[in-house]
Amino acid sequence: MTTYSLSWKISKTRCACSLASRWNPALNAGCPLDLDRLPAGGDTRTVLDKAEIVLMRFDREHFRLETARSFAEFVWNVLESAGREFEAGHG
């Protein structure tokens, strides 16, 4: 079983983390956008479940996710839950 963990960078008001492609199923589960259509170098403001986020795509394999500090724990829980569900169904 894969361990899902993230390293968050925290400022006074914002939190950010880098996500590798293995997180794509978790992102797609909670985000209404088709992330495959976001080009490398592109960014967008969207939601993950009900939390506002900003996604930046560095390349095909890597994203940066930013959210308000108050939503960081919620966003982590959404990603972790979706990652576990995806892994259980495809692992």
Side-chain angles (χ1 to χ4, degrees):
M1 177 178 236
T2 304
T3 301
Y4 286 90
S5 62
L6 292 175
S7 175
W8 289 89
K9 294 182 181 183
I10 302 171
S11 74
K12 198 172 196 177
T13 60
R14 306 287 295 168
C15 291
C17 64
S18 295
L19 302 169
S21 62
R22 68 185 176 98
W23 285 95
N24 287 5
L27 278 173
N28 282 323
C31 182
L33 298 178
D34 179 358
L35 299 177
D36 290 332
R37 299 191 71 182
L38 184 63
D43 57 19
T44 187
R45 185 176 302 271
T46 187
V47 293
L48 182 69
D49 195 359
K50 60 184 177 184
E52 183 178 299
I53 63 170
V54 175
L55 276 177
M56 292 160 260
R57 184 173 218 150
F58 296 123
D59 55 37
R60 181 121 179 98
E61 301 294 320
H62 298 92
F63 286 95
R64 177 181 171 97
L65 181 151
E66 291 185 2
T67 192
R69 187 174 177 173
S70 59
F71 284 124
E73 184 175 3
F74 176 80
V75 167
W76 163 246
N77 289 333
V78 169
L79 289 171
E80 182 182 44
S81 177
R84 280 194 315 259
E85 287 178 25
F86 179 80
E87 193 170 74
H90 296 91

